[in-house]
Amino acid sequence: MAVVTYLEAIRQALSEEMQRDENVFLLGEDIGVYGGAFKVTEGLYEKFGSQRVIDTPISESAIVGAACGAAMMGMRPVAEIQFIDFISCAFDQLTNYAAKSRYRQGIGIPIVVRGPCGGGGRGGPFHSQNVESFFLNTPGLKMVEPATAYDAKGLLKAAIRDEDPVLYFEHKFLYRRIKEDIPDDDYIVPIGKAKVRREGRDISVITYGAMVHVALEAAEKLQHEGIDLEVVDLRSLLPYDKEAILNSVVKTSKVILLHEATRIGGYAGELAAVIAEEVFDCLDGPIVRVTAPDTPVPYSPPLEDFFLPNAEKLMKAARQLAAY
Amino acid sequence: MATDVIMPQMGESIAEGTIVKWIKKVGDEVKRDEPLFEISTDKVDAEIPSPTAGVLVEILATEGQTVPINTVVARIDAVGSKPPAPPAPKTEDPKPISAPPTVVAQTPVVSVAVAPPQPVAPPVAESISQPVEAVEKRSSPLVRKIARENSVNINEIDGTGLAGRVTKNDILSHVTNKETVRVSVPAVTIPQPVASVAVVTPPQVALVQPVATQPSLVVPPFVAPIMETYRPGDRVEIVSMSPMRKKISEHMVASRRISAHVQSFFEIDMTKIAKLRDQYKDKFLERHGVKLTFTPFIMKAVVDALGAWPIMNASVEGDNIIYKKDINLGIAVALDWGLIVPVVKNAEERNLVGLTRAMNDLAARARKKQLKPDEVQGGTFTITNPGVFGSLFGTPIINQPQVAIMGVGTIEKRLSVMEDDSVAIRTKSYFSISFDHRVVDGAVADQFMSQVKRILENFEASEIG
């Protein structure tokens, strides 16, 4: 056991998987000699060499396209998108090619496309986005977003070993802000399994990524007001753990869906629909969303603070719902 | 030209039916006589075939909805036609009765079903709907579900939520309090919301009628059933009863309240019948095309014994005993989804072959939901066969308004002491009779049963035919 940051946990997973399986290799912009924009891959070029840690031209389309081709030839590529915002340049490779290959030609494409997502870093509109709902409507893709160092390592290992394309979103705000004592040895966190981070009686908060910590902070504060939040960390967004979500909602009868991404067409809409469809008569109040407003992520620090969901906003929504 | 599909009259006494399931959807092509929807009435569950070929263009009564007979529940148009545009918004018509027929046809069926056909409709309608809405408390789906399961009127609860909303905690504490109160105070029936009064169904009326004409000593006071409270998260699955289950439930409880049930048991030696059956079954199948089972022998014995004991083939109405001249034998048939009792009419006119044929035909169609309503009505005596699943003897509940029901236990080889003190292996069965002691005394029932026994134990081969 050793205390590592979220970022170090990701690096550990990459290093261990490359050691375990020589078909695993990395490609991306500045990930080799420079060690990556956030230094996630630092040291791996020295350890595994230029054949397995490949610096690419600035073309996300080429990075993901090359990864798909390599995967079809039996490799296990892990592609880094320097900022996940730019994954849109590889949208076609992911949605039309990688996601459909198993269905079209019976050949799975076991790639991992990973990259930093999320705001709070004063990155502005091109370097702060959360892109999960762009891909939500694409059967064939898997998506995960860890909230802890333990999950960061376990989910990345599970993603690399998965037979299908997995988008791995790592929240850049968490990179060096959270630390955890995690096992040195091999373990995975299975894709598709949520985790209840905090048991509670009154309201279920279903969330993922950095917002898990916002929810836990709000839960801690609301406890003094007699409102007991349950916090469910989805960990996997596609497929998502419907059973865990519904169990929690049935238990508390009230639910808040919390995400950092913007509201319209956001991930919470899907969860709201499935809750309304399956456990409508267990609801004792409206399904509530707490999300960012429908605008690009602002560059101005005060505006970004206003934009992002935080514990205060969640507490306000929780108080209203508790009183309903 | 669209063809109207109506709720058929499934038997003379039937005034309405419930749509259980639409087998076809709007836009589906249907052949003539192809099953269109399933209905459930007091008497029978049935699939209703399409009256014509075409496209189902409109469904006017939803699943679960109960509508009077002859109500238009769907329309079928020629292939190639489109579903009609939604009905034009209705203007508030103070005299709905005088509206032209075309407008009535487009009115949602629910209002047809509920609105009492009274010329004084407008003032009545207002007085019904207004008070209910005025006191309606706001509540969530969960609260309404808990209220339903515990027969709680939400309006009685003080809501502590926003704008007086009744919350989960409000109703749960109300239910818990009520449970404790119920033990000490005689049960009080909760007044139903006024709106439901208009929708009283004939089945309830039919069950209540004979009771109402009885002297009061017959009917014990209604006691509210004790209910557990289930909370979300409890490991239970709550499933609402099918219409058939509900009818069985109502009939069984009503029968136990109406009749003074007494049981008596007879062991009957079926060895001779078993031998006859073995001896004749191949020939019988060859000649008549049906299998020879024990049931027709038993039916035949019962029919003959009923002839001798007419009180066993009777019913009670108030202070009168109605002796039935026809013997219409009900035979209980277990189904995967419940139980139904088709009736062999005029069993006294049939020989063994006729009884076998009638029985096989009814049982087969019961399993395919193809019984006609008439075929489950008018029974005068019922035979049930718990033995088919190995039971030694049952204590069946009388099928109202009859006064007796006979149960046949499992037929098996048993060790018997014969009259000459020898020990023999005999094929035997326990028969039970449940009879209504209001009009049938033990002596009569037992003499009836001993006659059944005598006939079965001395059955003549010449009767097989």
Side-chain angles (χ1 to χ4, degrees):
Chain A
M1 301 283 277
V3 176
V4 297
T5 62
Y6 182 89
L7 182 143
E8 284 161 351
I10 296 169
R11 185 188 298 140
Q12 269 190 14
L14 291 171
S15 178
E16 285 177 25
E17 288 302 292
M18 289 177 81
Q19 225 148 20
R20 183 187 61 80
D21 180 354
E22 61 180 20
N23 289 320
V24 177
F25 75 100
L26 313 182
L27 72 168
E29 296 158 10
D30 278 336
I31 63 164
V33 179
Y34 184 64
F38 289 91
K39 303 287 178 191
V40 172
T41 52
E42 190 169 44
L44 297 181
Y45 178 84
E46 289 75 16
K47 196 168 173 186
F48 296 101
S50 60
Q51 297 284 301
R52 297 185 69 193
V53 184
I54 303 169
D55 279 321
T56 66
I58 305 178
S59 169
E60 288 75 14
S61 170
I63 293 169
V64 176
C68 288
M72 291 185 86
M73 299 306 291
M75 303 296 283
R76 294 269 166 174
V78 181
E80 178 179 304
I81 305 293
Q82 195 168 74
F83 285 85
I84 206 72
D85 312 60
F86 302 112
I87 198 171
S88 48
C89 297
F91 194 79
D92 182 54
Q93 278 75 15
L94 285 166
T95 59
N96 279 330
Y97 195 73
K100 294 181 176 64
S101 176
R102 178 177 294 291
Y103 302 88
R104 266 178 84 222
Q105 49 217 12
I107 304 169
I109 295 194
I111 59 169
V112 176
V113 178
R114 48 161 285 272
C117 68
R122 313 313 186 199
F126 283 7
H127 299 80
S128 308
Q129 293 177 78
N130 292 283
V131 298
E132 59 273 14
S133 67
F134 296 160
F135 297 97
L136 185 60
N137 202 219
T138 303
L141 290 181
K142 294 180 181 175
M143 293 195 283
V144 298
E145 183 164 344
T148 66
Y150 180 92
D151 285 357
K153 181 172 172 182
L155 275 174
L156 185 49
K157 282 168 160 275
I160 290 170
R161 297 176 196 183
D162 200 276
E163 296 300 329
D164 287 302
V166 181
L167 307 187
Y168 180 96
F169 303 130
E170 44 204 61
H171 202 292
K172 64 175 86 69
F173 192 78
L174 300 179
Y175 269 156
R176 293 180 172 84
R177 279 186 178 81
I178 57 171
K179 281 185 184 178
E180 197 178 350
D181 207 1
I182 67 170
D184 297 325
D185 57 340
D186 189 37
Y187 68 90
I188 65 158
V189 170
I191 294 176
K193 287 282 168 209
K195 189 169 175 65
V196 177
R197 292 282 174 209
R198 183 188 197 276
E199 302 252 0
R201 185 190 62 233
D202 298 323
I203 297 173
S204 301
V205 179
I206 316 283
T207 188
Y208 52 92
M211 288 296 121
V212 170
H213 302 281
V214 167
L216 290 171
E217 184 192 339
E220 214 49 49
K221 290 178 177 164
L222 281 174
Q223 200 172 14
H224 308 298
E225 301 178 22
I227 299 172
D228 195 10
L229 298 188
E230 173 149 313
V231 178
V232 179
D233 175 6
L234 286 177
R235 310 200 288 191
S236 288
L237 306 182
L238 207 63
Y240 55 84
D241 191 345
K242 191 161 86 174
E243 195 187 344
I245 296 167
L246 299 183
N247 280 344
S248 179
V249 175
V250 167
K251 174 181 155 189
T252 61
S253 315
K254 289 179 177 175
V255 60
I256 295 175
L257 308 168
L258 168 67
H259 62 59
E260 191 185 304
T262 56
R263 193 172 186 85
I264 293 179
Y267 192 70
E270 165 60 24
L271 298 183
V274 80
I275 290 166
E277 279 170 353
E278 305 220 0
V279 292
F280 179 72
D281 59 5
C282 292
L283 288 172
D284 197 29
I287 300 169
V288 173
R289 288 179 294 173
V290 175
T291 69
D294 289 307
T295 170
V297 185
Y299 186 70
S300 142
L303 281 181
E304 187 181 20
D305 292 343
F306 176 80
F307 170 89
L308 290 173
N310 56 29
E312 284 307 315
K313 293 177 188 176
L314 178 59
M315 286 161 67
K316 192 177 164 201
R319 285 188 198 105
Q320 281 174 355
L321 184 56
Y324 184 85
Chain B
M1 177 64 195
T3 306
D4 290 345
V5 181
I6 59 164
M7 173 61 73
Q9 178 163 21
M10 303 300 281
E12 273 176 28
S13 64
I14 298 300
E16 60 180 20
T18 304
I19 308 263
V20 177
K21 188 181 160 197
W22 279 101
I23 297 164
K24 297 288 177 184
K25 293 190 294 291
V26 169
D28 283 0
E29 218 172 296
V30 290
K31 298 193 194 79
R32 189 190 148 94
D33 290 337
E34 201 180 354
L36 197 57
F37 57 107
E38 274 182 38
I39 64 160
S40 178
T41 70
D42 189 28
K43 296 287 188 189
V44 72
D45 289 353
E47 281 181 0
I48 304 303
S50 174
T52 182
V55 172
L56 181 59
V57 290
E58 210 176 344
I59 286 179
L60 299 163
T62 55
E63 289 180 5
Q65 198 176 334
T66 302
V67 298
I69 55 163
N70 296 327
T71 304
V72 177
V73 295
R75 281 184 228 283
I76 292 177
D77 210 340
V79 175
S81 57
K82 286 180 181 145
K90 282 180 295 165
T91 47
E92 279 299 317
D93 189 342
K95 288 173 287 178
I97 299 304
S98 67
T102 48
V103 175
V104 172
Q106 292 209 327
T107 310
V109 176
V110 63
S111 66
V112 176
V114 177
Q118 290 163 344
V120 285
V124 171
E126 269 177 33
S127 66
I128 285 174
S129 60
Q130 268 187 348
V132 176
E133 286 194 11
V135 294
E136 187 93 7
K137 284 263 173 70
R138 288 186 154 197
S139 57
S140 65
L142 173 67
V143 165
R144 271 169 260 156
K145 186 174 87 165
I146 297 171
R148 246 189 341 267
E149 284 164 6
N150 293 282
S151 306
V152 169
N153 183 348
I154 293 170
N155 293 328
E156 291 174 354
I157 304 171
D158 293 328
T160 62
L162 282 183
R165 224 171 250 282
V166 176
T167 67
K168 176 171 78 168
N169 287 339
D170 295 338
I171 191 160
L172 286 179
S173 58
H174 180 87
V175 167
T176 318
N177 291 341
K178 213 170 135 220
E179 290 291 324
T180 48
V181 170
R182 192 176 277 154
V183 180
S184 52
V185 180
V188 180
T189 19
I190 300 148
Q192 294 294 313
V194 184
S196 72
V197 173
V199 220
V200 168
T201 53
Q204 284 165 291
V205 175
L207 284 176
V208 172
Q209 263 172 353
V211 177
T213 54
Q214 296 299 319
S216 59
L217 66 113
V218 177
V219 184
F222 175 73
V223 181
I226 293 162
M227 290 190 197
E228 282 187 71
T229 307
Y230 298 106
R231 292 180 168 78
D234 283 356
R235 293 194 50 78
V236 296
E237 186 188 0
I238 295 169
V239 180
S240 67
M241 288 190 197
S242 68
M244 178 188 259
R245 188 79 261 151
K246 240 186 276 182
K247 295 283 151 54
I248 294 174
S249 159
E250 285 165 4
H251 283 129
M252 291 302 107
V253 172
S255 181
R256 290 295 292 265
R257 288 172 61 209
I258 290 165
S259 294
H261 281 74
V262 178
Q263 278 89 19
S264 181
F265 305 93
F266 278 69
E267 187 175 37
I268 298 183
D269 190 331
M270 301 290 280
T271 312
K272 188 162 187 197
I273 302 282
K275 278 189 184 147
L276 284 173
R277 190 175 152 251
D278 278 347
Q279 202 177 330
Y280 285 93
K281 66 181 178 196
D282 295 337
K283 206 159 104 191
F284 194 85
L285 181 63
E286 198 179 304
R287 264 177 79 180
H288 305 297
V290 282
K291 276 194 187 158
L292 184 58
T293 64
F294 283 107
T295 310
F297 290 101
I298 295 164
M299 290 166 74
K300 186 83 179 74
V302 165
V303 168
D304 291 351
L306 285 174
W309 301 96
I311 184 65
M312 301 296 284
N313 197 54
S315 65
V316 181
E317 259 177 40
D319 292 339
N320 296 326
I321 298 171
I322 320 291
Y323 289 91
K324 306 282 174 69
K325 301 294 182 192
D326 297 331
I327 298 176
N328 299 334
L329 268 193
I331 309 288
V333 175
L335 306 169
D336 289 343
W337 58 94
L339 167 82
I340 200 158
V341 185
V343 175
V344 177
K345 292 278 165 67
N346 290 102
E348 77 280 9
E349 292 173 2
R350 297 173 192 261
N351 63 9
L352 205 71
V353 181
L355 290 171
T356 309
R357 283 234 173 92
M359 187 52 230
N360 285 4
D361 171 51
L362 289 170
R365 283 189 294 116
R367 294 191 178 100
K368 288 190 235 154
K369 294 193 179 181
Q370 287 173 351
L371 286 177
K372 296 180 197 124
D374 271 359
E375 292 169 336
V376 293
Q377 298 175 32
T380 57
F381 184 94
T382 298
I383 300 175
T384 181
N385 189 4
V388 75
F389 300 115
S391 167
L392 279 183
F393 38 79
T395 60
I397 295 175
I398 293 167
N399 189 6
Q400 295 296 327
Q402 299 163 28
V403 294
I405 180 168
M406 192 182 82
V408 180
T410 191
I411 299 170
E412 60 183 3
K413 287 186 178 171
R414 290 187 195 132
L415 207 54
S416 297
V417 180
M418 307 303 286
E419 258 180 55
D420 61 359
D421 284 357
S422 65
V423 173
I425 294 169
R426 304 291 290 179
T427 302
K428 288 189 156 185
S429 170
Y430 292 110
F431 280 50
S432 53
I433 182 87
S434 290
F435 57 94
D436 187 345
H437 209 332
R438 290 182 305 167
V439 292
V440 180
D441 295 325
V444 174
D446 288 345
Q447 288 178 80
F448 164 80
M449 284 302 284
S450 71
Q451 185 155 351
V452 170
K453 178 181 162 83
R454 205 157 49 240
I455 295 167
L456 285 172
E457 290 180 350
N458 300 286
F459 212 92
E460 290 302 327
S462 59
E463 286 196 67
I464 294 177

